Amino acid sequence: MRRDPLLALRPWESPEVTSWRRLPMNAVDRRDGALSLDGSWHFQLVPAPGASSGEWTRIEVPGAWTTQDVGDLPQYTNFRMPWDDFPPSSPATNPTGVYERSVVIPADWAGRRIVLQVGAAESVLLVHVNGTPVGISKDSHLAAEFDLSAVVRPGDPATVRLTVIKWSDASHIEDQDQWWHGGITRSVLLYATDPLHLADVTVRARQNGKLWVDCQVRNTAGALPEGWYATGALDGRLLAQDAEFDRLNADDLRVSDFLGEVRLSTTVRDVRPWTAETPELYELTVRLHRADGSVADTSSHRVGFRDVEIRGRDLLVNGARVFIRGVNRHDFHPLTGRTVSADDMRADLVVLKRFGFNAIRTAHYPNDPTLLDLADELGFYVVDEANIESHDHAHEIADDPRYLGAFVDRVSRMVLRDKNHPSVVIWSLGNESDYGANHDAAAGWVRRHDPTRPLQYEGAAKLDWADPSPASDIACPMYAPIEECIVHALSGEQTKPLIQCEYSHAMGNSNGTLADHWAAIESIPGLQGGFIWEFWDHGILQRVSDGRPAGRPGAGLYDNGVTAPGHRWAYGGDFGDSPNDGVFCADGMVFPDRTPKPAMYEHREIAAPVRLRYRQGVFLVQNRQHFRGLDWLAAEWILVRADGRTHTATAALPDVPPGGSETIPMPFPLPEGESWLTLRVTTADDEPWAPRGTDVCLPQVRLSTGATRVPEPVAGPPVEVDEDGLLLHPLLTSPPVLSLWRAPTDNDELGGIAARWRDWGLDALVRKVVDVQREGARVTVIAEYATGAGTVHHEQVITRIAGGLRIEETAELPEELDDAARVGTVFETVAGLDVLDWYGQGPWESYPDRSAGPPVGHHSLPVDELFTPYLRPQESGGRHGVRRFTLSAPDATGLTVELGAPSQVSVTRYRAEDLAAATHHDELVPRPGCVVHLDAAHRGLGTASCGPDTSPQYLVAPGTHRWSWTLRVL
Ligand code: IPT
């Protein structure tokens, strides 16, 4: 290996070298008849390119080596590079994997052009076959193809050696916020074609049914032969009987000796256009023929007829201003790191569909190509993003001519690969790489090659959303506060659609104010949506015993976001990786096993295709979709009464056009007292992403309000308190006291508020009893809590009422204590009260600024299921708008609490300090009883770990807070 010419080039420190002898990227489908080289390969990991260990082991392809226990482990950094030297340098210790296997080249490939395809390798790939240098490629997230015809012999075995160098000049432009891995992460295959072959196929299909198919033809055996021609067949499932479209006409043919170009075209009458709501696809087969009519090459494509354009400040799909309900998606898997199967990707998209998403940004590189097939099929608008993020050295690299080729290479190859996907509606030049001439060069290439789609790049529109830069047609900021978006849209200065490329950072217990974003988006022209950051929590499954990635151990190691004993979700630092950025990689809407977090349910309701309105006795159903009626949906009425009764009835959804509304009769007489009406909307039939009967949304209206009755005091023995005024109660192991703190969320920590709470001492409040006054059956307890922001006065008045006690509380927070976590009561119960029944919002977790979704109802869950296992333990499990609840044991003993006003309540097995002291779930020891919080006020969640904090209306204000509750034994 030492005299290897590929190594002699030192391609890992040469940004000018983007590839050598790599075939041009194209969109020809080569899956048919390909020979898979996936499976077990010989492997050695050496400490630097050119080194040799002589020790061979085995490794699975595809799969990052960092999750396969071969000595090099994953490392997580957000944007700082793992080493200090400047681009284009790489460190001297540079894990390099040498993969080798033998393959018998099929004998019937004699005379054919034989191509090796490596799906993805990070970050530099060197290819040798039978000892001969074949090629070089960079770009860790696009396939590389090499012509092996001259180096292999059909019928004979060939030795394929793939050398993958982990760190390189290219790492500096692959500095995305995710785990660093190494290895071959997508499939490897061989295929053969006739020397006369389709070099590329470009499909353009418009909403009006016009179809053009441009074919490029080459011949590796010499000049193009006389008389070749191409045909195409469009045989969409829904048009199967329509023979008219079986054969397309060649209406334009140009031939030179070395490049043939032909355009096939047709117009499909009564075409069914493609949209994310109606992902109609047609099957296209393109054939290249020799003069005698025999077929030399074939390529199959699924075609969606649709238009994308920007008109004024609106992004239009088929003429409609669609809302972009998007999420950022990485290729991620908790066992393999990055290698994802088609089933995995389908499962991702199924979850997204079920929770109301219609768009994906492939952050921050072209995702596995199968993802786009699935997005075409299931219906998503995709922002396809090139693999460029130079974050740590962004400014230098954006204008560095040594990287110019790499920028254009990466963007152009993505476009060449993905141009035929109807789902791709926007190209993105990459992420967080400042803005320089290299971007404009890449933008220029895209403009010329694909004028049919808009282009975006956050860095180009960053300083001025209306900047007419050549690199962004869309104002696509990240984490812009709602108010700024509104001001821009109302300024008269807006020139581009405003669609945030990242917003609502989903780290830990987060996504506060999502509904406020959408209230603005839906009501203010110019605002069109955004992409939540991000889909996944990137926790890698780790064995606690030896700290290794669990690899591919099979099923049963995680469920519902929780890992099996002896395992945990690892985040930055857990593999001894240094430097690292800790838990910042756990910022997704789903857990590492794809279990939806509660914020997903909030999103589902915000994205509801059906809304319910109730005005003056009339119920209105609104169709919030852009293209579809309501006929794919079924519905049921649920009448919820405060007295505990619920009634259901089938609802007949009226025929409502997209964007329209219709009245709908309510089958129940208007009840007395507080009541709510929910329209449970489900899929009427099996959908590709959900079986019939799956919940789509649960819009709800309040029908009537009931009067709150204050329970009368009753005579009886004195309320029992100890000498400190602490309530003594047979079901409480810890009496009700004031609570001002919560286990800091990731937003609280990274946004800085948790540090203020610690400075003020809210995490370790010391209660000082001031006075205990007993008057008959009633006790008044006055206490003080000294904090670094002044003294908090707290009063409890405990009165005996029929069947229990009423507790009226007042807390006075000094002016300086202007941002507490909560103001409320905390107590603990005896063991055994394991089920919570409540009347209020639910069933999923909610907080004051994330409470637009859960309907009011009568809910019931085991206490253990109330808690949400965010990767780093933190405040979780809260329920907003709770009016009353019961905590009971299987023998029906227990307690009931009635809140004076709808309140934030949480019932878990953990004290706030238990959660705050743990870094991972395997460290938590559940308490046998319940820790119960009743909050008069609870701070919103916001998104301050990256982006705006919660809005002022969700803060806990200083001043006087009053609340009351009753406690009864069942
Ligand atoms: C932004 C990045 O684009 C994204 O990759 C991720 O790191 C996200 O932040 C936070 O999780 S960049 C940030 C500096 C706004």
Side-chain angles (χ1 to χ4, degrees), residues 465-493:
W465 294 347
D467 188 339
S469 83
S472 200
D473 301 323
I474 294 177
C476 45
M478 34 175 79
Y479 310 106
I482 306 168
E483 304 72 40
E484 266 178 45
C485 297
I486 296 174
V487 166
H488 182 64
L490 300 180
S491 67
E493 307 284 311

PDB file of all heavy atoms in Angstrom, residues 465-493:
ATOM      1  N   TRP A 465     -33.560  39.605   5.109  1.00  0.00           N
ATOM      2  CA  TRP A 465     -34.460  38.588   4.554  1.00  0.00           C
ATOM      3  C   TRP A 465     -34.956  38.961   3.154  1.00  0.00           C
ATOM      4  O   TRP A 465     -35.433  38.101   2.419  1.00  0.00           O
ATOM      5  CB  TRP A 465     -35.657  38.366   5.486  1.00  0.00           C
ATOM      6  CG  TRP A 465     -35.250  37.764   6.807  1.00  0.00           C
ATOM      7  CD1 TRP A 465     -34.035  37.211   7.116  1.00  0.00           C
ATOM      8  CD2 TRP A 465     -36.048  37.642   7.983  1.00  0.00           C
ATOM      9  NE1 TRP A 465     -34.039  36.758   8.409  1.00  0.00           N
ATOM     10  CE2 TRP A 465     -35.264  37.012   8.966  1.00  0.00           C
ATOM     11  CE3 TRP A 465     -37.355  38.008   8.297  1.00  0.00           C
ATOM     12  CZ2 TRP A 465     -35.746  36.744  10.251  1.00  0.00           C
ATOM     13  CZ3 TRP A 465     -37.839  37.742   9.571  1.00  0.00           C
ATOM     14  CH2 TRP A 465     -37.044  37.113  10.543  1.00  0.00           C
ATOM     15  N   ALA A 466     -34.838  40.255   2.827  1.00  0.00           N
ATOM     16  CA  ALA A 466     -35.309  40.688   1.501  1.00  0.00           C
ATOM     17  C   ALA A 466     -34.149  40.844   0.516  1.00  0.00           C
ATOM     18  O   ALA A 466     -34.346  41.264  -0.615  1.00  0.00           O
ATOM     19  CB  ALA A 466     -36.060  42.000   1.632  1.00  0.00           C
ATOM     20  N   ASP A 467     -32.952  40.480   0.944  1.00  0.00           N
ATOM     21  CA  ASP A 467     -31.761  40.644   0.097  1.00  0.00           C
ATOM     22  C   ASP A 467     -31.932  39.888  -1.228  1.00  0.00           C
ATOM     23  O   ASP A 467     -32.187  38.684  -1.232  1.00  0.00           O
ATOM     24  CB  ASP A 467     -30.555  40.061   0.875  1.00  0.00           C
ATOM     25  CG  ASP A 467     -29.239  40.357   0.175  1.00  0.00           C
ATOM     26  OD1 ASP A 467     -29.261  40.636  -1.043  1.00  0.00           O
ATOM     27  OD2 ASP A 467     -28.202  40.303   0.850  1.00  0.00           O
ATOM     28  N   PRO A 468     -31.758  40.585  -2.353  1.00  0.00           N
ATOM     29  CA  PRO A 468     -31.939  39.867  -3.627  1.00  0.00           C
ATOM     30  C   PRO A 468     -30.699  39.062  -4.002  1.00  0.00           C
ATOM     31  O   PRO A 468     -30.227  39.129  -5.133  1.00  0.00           O
ATOM     32  CB  PRO A 468     -32.198  41.006  -4.622  1.00  0.00           C
ATOM     33  CG  PRO A 468     -31.483  42.170  -4.041  1.00  0.00           C
ATOM     34  CD  PRO A 468     -31.466  41.995  -2.550  1.00  0.00           C
ATOM     35  N   SER A 469     -30.133  38.307  -3.093  1.00  0.00           N
ATOM     36  CA  SER A 469     -28.927  37.537  -3.394  1.00  0.00           C
ATOM     37  C   SER A 469     -29.271  36.447  -4.403  1.00  0.00           C
ATOM     38  O   SER A 469     -30.403  35.966  -4.446  1.00  0.00           O
ATOM     39  CB  SER A 469     -28.392  36.877  -2.123  1.00  0.00           C
ATOM     40  OG  SER A 469     -29.107  35.686  -1.902  1.00  0.00           O
ATOM     41  N   PRO A 470     -28.275  36.067  -5.198  1.00  0.00           N
ATOM     42  CA  PRO A 470     -28.572  35.028  -6.184  1.00  0.00           C
ATOM     43  C   PRO A 470     -28.744  33.655  -5.552  1.00  0.00           C
ATOM     44  O   PRO A 470     -29.156  32.717  -6.218  1.00  0.00           O
ATOM     45  CB  PRO A 470     -27.341  35.044  -7.098  1.00  0.00           C
ATOM     46  CG  PRO A 470     -26.260  35.712  -6.319  1.00  0.00           C
ATOM     47  CD  PRO A 470     -26.907  36.577  -5.297  1.00  0.00           C
ATOM     48  N   ALA A 471     -28.459  33.504  -4.275  1.00  0.00           N
ATOM     49  CA  ALA A 471     -28.405  32.164  -3.695  1.00  0.00           C
ATOM     50  C   ALA A 471     -29.635  31.786  -2.888  1.00  0.00           C
ATOM     51  O   ALA A 471     -29.716  30.660  -2.417  1.00  0.00           O
ATOM     52  CB  ALA A 471     -27.160  32.036  -2.825  1.00  0.00           C
ATOM     53  N   SER A 472     -30.598  32.676  -2.715  1.00  0.00           N
ATOM     54  CA  SER A 472     -31.791  32.269  -1.968  1.00  0.00           C
ATOM     55  C   SER A 472     -33.048  32.976  -2.461  1.00  0.00           C
ATOM     56  O   SER A 472     -33.142  34.194  -2.414  1.00  0.00           O
ATOM     57  CB  SER A 472     -31.609  32.503  -0.464  1.00  0.00           C
ATOM     58  OG  SER A 472     -32.531  31.705   0.242  1.00  0.00           O
ATOM     59  N   ASP A 473     -33.990  32.191  -2.917  1.00  0.00           N
ATOM     60  CA  ASP A 473     -35.286  32.728  -3.344  1.00  0.00           C
ATOM     61  C   ASP A 473     -36.239  32.811  -2.166  1.00  0.00           C
ATOM     62  O   ASP A 473     -37.364  33.286  -2.310  1.00  0.00           O
ATOM     63  CB  ASP A 473     -35.922  31.792  -4.384  1.00  0.00           C
ATOM     64  CG  ASP A 473     -35.033  31.638  -5.600  1.00  0.00           C
ATOM     65  OD1 ASP A 473     -34.403  32.627  -5.994  1.00  0.00           O
ATOM     66  OD2 ASP A 473     -34.956  30.508  -6.138  1.00  0.00           O
ATOM     67  N   ILE A 474     -35.818  32.249  -1.054  1.00  0.00           N
ATOM     68  CA  ILE A 474     -36.700  32.152   0.107  1.00  0.00           C
ATOM     69  C   ILE A 474     -35.986  32.781   1.291  1.00  0.00           C
ATOM     70  O   ILE A 474     -34.765  32.614   1.435  1.00  0.00           O
ATOM     71  CB  ILE A 474     -37.040  30.672   0.374  1.00  0.00           C
ATOM     72  CG1 ILE A 474     -37.869  30.163  -0.816  1.00  0.00           C
ATOM     73  CG2 ILE A 474     -37.782  30.473   1.697  1.00  0.00           C
ATOM     74  CD1 ILE A 474     -38.232  28.723  -0.775  1.00  0.00           C
ATOM     75  N   ALA A 475     -36.720  33.524   2.095  1.00  0.00           N
ATOM     76  CA  ALA A 475     -36.172  33.989   3.365  1.00  0.00           C
ATOM     77  C   ALA A 475     -36.359  32.820   4.322  1.00  0.00           C
ATOM     78  O   ALA A 475     -37.487  32.463   4.642  1.00  0.00           O
ATOM     79  CB  ALA A 475     -36.910  35.220   3.854  1.00  0.00           C
ATOM     80  N   CYS A 476     -35.230  32.196   4.670  1.00  0.00           N
ATOM     81  CA  CYS A 476     -35.341  30.941   5.427  1.00  0.00           C
ATOM     82  C   CYS A 476     -34.489  31.021   6.685  1.00  0.00           C
ATOM     83  O   CYS A 476     -33.536  30.268   6.846  1.00  0.00           O
ATOM     84  CB  CYS A 476     -34.927  29.762   4.546  1.00  0.00           C
ATOM     85  SG  CYS A 476     -33.409  30.058   3.599  1.00  0.00           S
ATOM     86  N   PRO A 477     -34.837  31.952   7.581  1.00  0.00           N
ATOM     87  CA  PRO A 477     -34.013  32.108   8.787  1.00  0.00           C
ATOM     88  C   PRO A 477     -34.146  30.906   9.700  1.00  0.00           C
ATOM     89  O   PRO A 477     -34.985  30.031   9.482  1.00  0.00           O
ATOM     90  CB  PRO A 477     -34.619  33.341   9.461  1.00  0.00           C
ATOM     91  CG  PRO A 477     -36.032  33.373   9.000  1.00  0.00           C
ATOM     92  CD  PRO A 477     -36.009  32.817   7.603  1.00  0.00           C
ATOM     93  N   MET A 478     -33.286  30.881  10.717  1.00  0.00           N
ATOM     94  CA  MET A 478     -33.443  29.864  11.745  1.00  0.00           C
ATOM     95  C   MET A 478     -33.726  30.521  13.086  1.00  0.00           C
ATOM     96  O   MET A 478     -33.111  31.503  13.441  1.00  0.00           O
ATOM     97  CB  MET A 478     -32.242  28.929  11.826  1.00  0.00           C
ATOM     98  CG  MET A 478     -30.882  29.483  11.543  1.00  0.00           C
ATOM     99  SD  MET A 478     -29.577  28.262  11.832  1.00  0.00           S
ATOM    100  CE  MET A 478     -29.650  27.267  10.368  1.00  0.00           C
ATOM    101  N   TYR A 479     -34.687  29.962  13.793  1.00  0.00           N
ATOM    102  CA  TYR A 479     -34.996  30.343  15.176  1.00  0.00           C
ATOM    103  C   TYR A 479     -35.352  31.823  15.319  1.00  0.00           C
ATOM    104  O   TYR A 479     -35.045  32.451  16.325  1.00  0.00           O
ATOM    105  CB  TYR A 479     -33.834  29.970  16.108  1.00  0.00           C
ATOM    106  CG  TYR A 479     -33.396  28.545  15.900  1.00  0.00           C
ATOM    107  CD1 TYR A 479     -32.199  28.235  15.243  1.00  0.00           C
ATOM    108  CD2 TYR A 479     -34.205  27.502  16.306  1.00  0.00           C
ATOM    109  CE1 TYR A 479     -31.824  26.915  15.011  1.00  0.00           C
ATOM    110  CE2 TYR A 479     -33.836  26.176  16.074  1.00  0.00           C
ATOM    111  CZ  TYR A 479     -32.648  25.905  15.427  1.00  0.00           C
ATOM    112  OH  TYR A 479     -32.291  24.606  15.198  1.00  0.00           O
ATOM    113  N   ALA A 480     -35.991  32.373  14.281  1.00  0.00           N
ATOM    114  CA  ALA A 480     -36.405  33.776  14.384  1.00  0.00           C
ATOM    115  C   ALA A 480     -37.612  33.869  15.317  1.00  0.00           C
ATOM    116  O   ALA A 480     -38.530  33.058  15.229  1.00  0.00           O
ATOM    117  CB  ALA A 480     -36.778  34.309  13.005  1.00  0.00           C
ATOM    118  N   PRO A 481     -37.612  34.865  16.217  1.00  0.00           N
ATOM    119  CA  PRO A 481     -38.789  35.032  17.081  1.00  0.00           C
ATOM    120  C   PRO A 481     -40.034  35.337  16.246  1.00  0.00           C
ATOM    121  O   PRO A 481     -39.949  35.962  15.184  1.00  0.00           O
ATOM    122  CB  PRO A 481     -38.417  36.238  17.948  1.00  0.00           C
ATOM    123  CG  PRO A 481     -36.935  36.357  17.857  1.00  0.00           C
ATOM    124  CD  PRO A 481     -36.550  35.817  16.515  1.00  0.00           C
ATOM    125  N   ILE A 482     -41.167  34.892  16.742  1.00  0.00           N
ATOM    126  CA  ILE A 482     -42.438  35.099  16.024  1.00  0.00           C
ATOM    127  C   ILE A 482     -42.622  36.579  15.695  1.00  0.00           C
ATOM    128  O   ILE A 482     -43.007  36.930  14.578  1.00  0.00           O
ATOM    129  CB  ILE A 482     -43.626  34.652  16.921  1.00  0.00           C
ATOM    130  CG1 ILE A 482     -43.432  33.226  17.410  1.00  0.00           C
ATOM    131  CG2 ILE A 482     -44.941  34.807  16.185  1.00  0.00           C
ATOM    132  CD1 ILE A 482     -44.396  32.813  18.513  1.00  0.00           C
ATOM    133  N   GLU A 483     -42.317  37.430  16.692  1.00  0.00           N
ATOM    134  CA  GLU A 483     -42.577  38.862  16.509  1.00  0.00           C
ATOM    135  C   GLU A 483     -41.778  39.406  15.324  1.00  0.00           C
ATOM    136  O   GLU A 483     -42.260  40.233  14.562  1.00  0.00           O
ATOM    137  CB  GLU A 483     -42.203  39.668  17.768  1.00  0.00           C
ATOM    138  CG  GLU A 483     -42.878  39.210  19.058  1.00  0.00           C
ATOM    139  CD  GLU A 483     -42.338  37.871  19.578  1.00  0.00           C
ATOM    140  OE1 GLU A 483     -41.118  37.661  19.502  1.00  0.00           O
ATOM    141  OE2 GLU A 483     -43.148  37.029  20.048  1.00  0.00           O
ATOM    142  N   GLU A 484     -40.522  38.928  15.187  1.00  0.00           N
ATOM    143  CA  GLU A 484     -39.704  39.424  14.071  1.00  0.00           C
ATOM    144  C   GLU A 484     -40.295  39.003  12.734  1.00  0.00           C
ATOM    145  O   GLU A 484     -40.252  39.760  11.759  1.00  0.00           O
ATOM    146  CB  GLU A 484     -38.284  38.862  14.163  1.00  0.00           C
ATOM    147  CG  GLU A 484     -37.346  39.776  14.885  1.00  0.00           C
ATOM    148  CD  GLU A 484     -35.957  39.176  15.010  1.00  0.00           C
ATOM    149  OE1 GLU A 484     -35.445  38.630  14.007  1.00  0.00           O
ATOM    150  OE2 GLU A 484     -35.402  39.247  16.119  1.00  0.00           O
ATOM    151  N   CYS A 485     -40.818  37.799  12.688  1.00  0.00           N
ATOM    152  CA  CYS A 485     -41.424  37.325  11.437  1.00  0.00           C
ATOM    153  C   CYS A 485     -42.633  38.180  11.102  1.00  0.00           C
ATOM    154  O   CYS A 485     -42.841  38.586   9.955  1.00  0.00           O
ATOM    155  CB  CYS A 485     -41.847  35.861  11.573  1.00  0.00           C
ATOM    156  SG  CYS A 485     -40.463  34.752  11.850  1.00  0.00           S
ATOM    157  N   ILE A 486     -43.420  38.473  12.131  1.00  0.00           N
ATOM    158  CA  ILE A 486     -44.629  39.278  11.906  1.00  0.00           C
ATOM    159  C   ILE A 486     -44.244  40.674  11.425  1.00  0.00           C
ATOM    160  O   ILE A 486     -44.800  41.181  10.442  1.00  0.00           O
ATOM    161  CB  ILE A 486     -45.470  39.349  13.203  1.00  0.00           C
ATOM    162  CG1 ILE A 486     -45.972  37.945  13.565  1.00  0.00           C
ATOM    163  CG2 ILE A 486     -46.616  40.331  13.051  1.00  0.00           C
ATOM    164  CD1 ILE A 486     -46.687  37.857  14.901  1.00  0.00           C
ATOM    165  N   VAL A 487     -43.266  41.274  12.102  1.00  0.00           N
ATOM    166  CA  VAL A 487     -42.841  42.630  11.723  1.00  0.00           C
ATOM    167  C   VAL A 487     -42.382  42.632  10.263  1.00  0.00           C
ATOM    168  O   VAL A 487     -42.748  43.515   9.480  1.00  0.00           O
ATOM    169  CB  VAL A 487     -41.713  43.121  12.665  1.00  0.00           C
ATOM    170  CG1 VAL A 487     -41.015  44.353  12.102  1.00  0.00           C
ATOM    171  CG2 VAL A 487     -42.273  43.407  14.053  1.00  0.00           C
ATOM    172  N   HIS A 488     -41.633  41.612   9.867  1.00  0.00           N
ATOM    173  CA  HIS A 488     -41.143  41.555   8.481  1.00  0.00           C
ATOM    174  C   HIS A 488     -42.312  41.436   7.498  1.00  0.00           C
ATOM    175  O   HIS A 488     -42.368  42.153   6.488  1.00  0.00           O
ATOM    176  CB  HIS A 488     -40.191  40.370   8.323  1.00  0.00           C
ATOM    177  CG  HIS A 488     -39.605  40.256   6.954  1.00  0.00           C
ATOM    178  ND1 HIS A 488     -38.765  41.215   6.420  1.00  0.00           N
ATOM    179  CD2 HIS A 488     -39.747  39.311   5.990  1.00  0.00           C
ATOM    180  CE1 HIS A 488     -38.410  40.863   5.185  1.00  0.00           C
ATOM    181  NE2 HIS A 488     -38.996  39.702   4.911  1.00  0.00           N
ATOM    182  N   ALA A 489     -43.250  40.564   7.832  1.00  0.00           N
ATOM    183  CA  ALA A 489     -44.365  40.335   6.902  1.00  0.00           C
ATOM    184  C   ALA A 489     -45.248  41.581   6.774  1.00  0.00           C
ATOM    185  O   ALA A 489     -45.871  41.801   5.738  1.00  0.00           O
ATOM    186  CB  ALA A 489     -45.197  39.144   7.374  1.00  0.00           C
ATOM    187  N   LEU A 490     -45.278  42.382   7.832  1.00  0.00           N
ATOM    188  CA  LEU A 490     -46.130  43.567   7.791  1.00  0.00           C
ATOM    189  C   LEU A 490     -45.375  44.818   7.342  1.00  0.00           C
ATOM    190  O   LEU A 490     -45.966  45.888   7.213  1.00  0.00           O
ATOM    191  CB  LEU A 490     -46.752  43.816   9.180  1.00  0.00           C
ATOM    192  CG  LEU A 490     -47.628  42.685   9.749  1.00  0.00           C
ATOM    193  CD1 LEU A 490     -48.165  43.059  11.124  1.00  0.00           C
ATOM    194  CD2 LEU A 490     -48.775  42.348   8.804  1.00  0.00           C
ATOM    195  N   SER A 491     -44.063  44.677   7.110  1.00  0.00           N
ATOM    196  CA  SER A 491     -43.219  45.859   6.890  1.00  0.00           C
ATOM    197  C   SER A 491     -43.401  46.496   5.519  1.00  0.00           C
ATOM    198  O   SER A 491     -43.005  47.620   5.291  1.00  0.00           O
ATOM    199  CB  SER A 491     -41.745  45.462   7.046  1.00  0.00           C
ATOM    200  OG  SER A 491     -41.389  44.571   5.982  1.00  0.00           O
ATOM    201  N   GLY A 492     -43.957  45.737   4.586  1.00  0.00           N
ATOM    202  CA  GLY A 492     -44.001  46.247   3.217  1.00  0.00           C
ATOM    203  C   GLY A 492     -42.687  46.010   2.490  1.00  0.00           C
ATOM    204  O   GLY A 492     -42.559  46.301   1.304  1.00  0.00           O
ATOM    205  N   GLU A 493     -41.679  45.490   3.190  1.00  0.00           N
ATOM    206  CA  GLU A 493     -40.357  45.284   2.595  1.00  0.00           C
ATOM    207  C   GLU A 493     -40.175  43.839   2.130  1.00  0.00           C
ATOM    208  O   GLU A 493     -39.182  43.510   1.505  1.00  0.00           O
ATOM    209  CB  GLU A 493     -39.255  45.539   3.647  1.00  0.00           C
ATOM    210  CG  GLU A 493     -39.341  46.868   4.367  1.00  0.00           C
ATOM    211  CD  GLU A 493     -38.877  47.990   3.473  1.00  0.00           C
ATOM    212  OE1 GLU A 493     -37.799  47.842   2.873  1.00  0.00           O
ATOM    213  OE2 GLU A 493     -39.607  48.990   3.349  1.00  0.00           O
TER     214      GLU A 493
END
